[in-house]
Amino acid sequence: MVEFMSYGCAHCRAIEPVLEQVASMVKPQEKVFRVNIAIEQELASNYQIQGTPTFVMFLNRNEVGRVEGPTPTVSSVLTAVTQPFES
């Protein structure tokens, strides 16, 4: 999962502890990354990021899920991260 975020985004700052918890709960092969859209503007444009935070899930380099907007609970973020990969 990639979180497209900005340090100026209050929702992004608020969700940081939640993301840290989720990262510790997922399987070792599942990774959580953060991309600062203020620095990586081209990457954010390539993925058509309209607002922050936006969570994009990838499997084998293909986008398999996306969640936009604040989802501040561990449960909701964990579901967003893992649901696209469940068979």
Side-chain angles (χ1 to χ4, degrees), residues 7-78:
Y7 287 109
C9 168
H11 294 294
C12 299
R13 287 191 309 273
I15 204 166
E16 190 168 332
V18 172
L19 286 175
E20 288 176 9
Q21 275 189 276
V22 169
S24 71
M25 297 169 72
V26 296
K27 298 175 186 173
Q29 67 268 24
E30 297 170 344
K31 304 290 183 197
V32 179
F33 297 95
R34 299 183 93 191
V35 173
N36 185 340
I37 65 167
I39 295 171
E40 299 291 342
Q41 294 174 1
E42 187 175 339
L43 186 61
S45 178
N46 288 345
Y47 286 100
Q48 301 173 346
I49 304 302
Q50 301 297 312
T52 57
T54 296
F55 302 94
V56 181
M57 280 58 74
F58 293 92
L59 180 62
N60 299 324
R61 299 184 180 172
N62 296 310
E63 183 176 330
V64 295
R66 180 180 288 235
V67 177
E68 297 173 327
T71 52
T73 67
V74 170
S75 175
S76 63
V77 174
L78 186 60

